[in-house]
């Protein structure tokens, strides 16, 4: 049986954007366009997670800059400013909210989940996008903020509302949790863990000791993670995931 090994990105791809394959003895070495890799029943993919701070065109810019990740989960997108196409989104009439894109992949079972509680002023509800790509559910989460009171209970209620929309099976639940204290993320973790998730990666917010952005996994393995800076006030993350 033929076995293929993905050699990854970060300078190990050819100059024309194709990726190299290492094959067993007796097979030819060849290249193919950037795409997720299936090794038997194993799925490997790179996922970019980013709060965009409503920066015009930033998602499109990051897609190119970070070597065309297979999946993008973004929050505070300015959707009308993007030339890159997002197959799933939950946005306001002005185009602000969350979105999910699958590069060269079918996106299905799209759901939009509003926070049960409005932000201060009673008008804006934080929006979350849920979608399936292959056999994996993805959640682009922008958690209840609650300025100036920063209610933990209302953030947890938002997490619970999203969990209620998920089916059993492998999933990535990631984004900007607005976890202003350790208690915020501890309480969210408690509910996510009860649904089979574990906290796999948190990345720093510039100027703060407490991270706001987190990635929780269920039925997936985190092979590699990193974060980067961009024109947004949030750092972004690149996650290399495997399902096997």
């Amino acid at each position: 049986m033929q076995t293929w090994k993905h050699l990854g990105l970060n300078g190990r791809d050819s100059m024309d954007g194709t990726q190299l394959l290492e094959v067993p003895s007796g097979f030819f070495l060849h290249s193919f366009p950037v795409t997720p890799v299936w090794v038997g029943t194993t799925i490997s993919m790179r996922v970019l997670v980013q709060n965009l701070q409503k920066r015009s065109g930033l998602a499109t810019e990051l897609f190119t800059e970070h070597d065309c990740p297979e999946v993008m989960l973004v929050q505070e997108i300015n959707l009308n400013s993007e030339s890159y196409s997002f197959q799933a989104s939950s946005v306001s009439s002005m185009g602000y909210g969350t979105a999910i894109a699958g590069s060269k992949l079918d996106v299905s079972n799209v759901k939009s989940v509003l926070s049960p509680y409005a932000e201060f002023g009673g008008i804006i509800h934080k929006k979350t996008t849920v979608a399936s790509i292959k056999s994996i559910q993805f959640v682009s989460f922008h958690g209840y903020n609650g300025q100036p009171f920063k209610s933990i209970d209302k953030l947890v209620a938002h997490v619970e509302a999203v969990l209620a929309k998920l089916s059993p099976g492998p999933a990535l639940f990631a984004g900007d949790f607005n976890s202003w204290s350790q208690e915020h993320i501890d309480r969210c973790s408690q509910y996510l863990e009860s649904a089979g998730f574990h906290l796999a990666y948190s990345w720093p917010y510039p100027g703060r000791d407490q991270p706001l952005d987190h990635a929780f996994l269920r039925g997936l393995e985190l092979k590699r993670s990193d974060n980067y800076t961009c024109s947004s006030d949030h750092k972004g993350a690149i996650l290399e995931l495997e399902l096997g």
Side-chain angles (χ1 to χ4, degrees):
M1 178 178 173
Q2 216 166 333
T3 301
W4 302 85
K5 180 180 178 182
H6 179 209
L7 296 186
L9 300 171
N10 301 322
R12 288 173 289 177
D13 296 335
S14 63
M15 294 299 292
D16 63 358
T18 62
Q19 294 176 311
L20 299 178
L21 289 175
E22 180 180 81
V23 299
S25 176
F27 292 95
F28 291 103
L29 181 70
H30 86 156
S31 62
F32 70 112
V34 175
T35 188
V37 178
W38 323 122
V39 184
T41 57
T42 299
I43 300 174
S44 300
M45 60 176 65
R46 297 170 66 250
V47 182
L48 181 149
V49 187
Q50 175 75 61
N51 181 313
L52 299 164
Q53 201 190 8
K54 303 176 182 176
R55 300 281 186 175
S56 294
L58 181 55
T60 303
E61 175 186 325
L62 292 173
F63 177 75
T64 302
E65 182 178 328
H66 292 280
D67 302 305
C68 311
E70 285 81 34
V71 179
M72 295 179 69
L73 309 182
V74 296
Q75 305 84 49
E76 285 201 277
I77 190 172
N78 180 351
L79 190 62
N80 297 331
S81 73
E82 300 291 349
S83 58
Y84 184 78
S85 177
F86 283 81
Q87 301 100 316
S89 63
S90 178
V91 298
S92 68
S93 59
M94 297 180 66
Y96 301 134
T98 59
I100 296 174
S103 173
K104 303 181 182 178
L105 297 171
D106 291 332
V107 177
S108 61
N109 300 321
V110 177
K111 302 171 186 176
S112 176
V113 186
L114 298 183
S115 169
Y117 295 95
E119 297 295 323
F120 185 75
I123 298 175
I124 297 173
H125 290 252
K126 286 287 190 288
K127 299 168 181 63
T128 293
T129 303
V130 179
S132 295
I133 299 175
K134 290 297 180 179
S135 57
I136 303 171
Q137 295 171 95
F138 291 91
V139 177
S140 181
F141 184 71
H142 191 198
Y144 174 83
N145 193 326
Q147 296 281 16
F149 305 110
K150 303 176 183 177
S151 168
I152 297 174
D153 288 340
K154 291 180 179 180
L155 173 59
V156 168
H158 190 183
V159 170
E160 288 185 289
V162 177
L163 288 174
K165 297 293 185 180
L166 300 184
S167 303
L172 168 63
F173 193 127
D176 176 7
F177 279 71
N178 284 313
S179 49
W180 296 106
S181 69
Q182 187 60 46
E183 186 179 359
H184 278 76
I185 195 58
D186 287 347
R187 289 277 304 280
C188 289
S189 296
Q190 177 184 345
Y191 283 87
L192 282 155
E193 287 169 5
S194 69
F197 287 88
H198 70 276
L199 179 57
Y201 186 56
S202 300
W203 54 103
Y205 182 90
R208 290 185 57 85
D209 294 332
Q210 179 65 40
L212 301 180
D213 303 279
H214 310 275
F216 289 81
L217 299 179
R218 183 175 70 189
L220 296 165
E221 182 180 355
L222 180 62
K223 304 298 289 186
R224 186 180 303 173
S225 58
D226 199 4
N227 63 78
Y228 59 86
T229 58
C230 62
S231 60
S232 171
D233 59 341
H234 286 250
K235 288 190 172 186
I238 299 288
L239 313 175
E240 293 189 15
L241 305 179
E242 186 171 285
L243 170 65

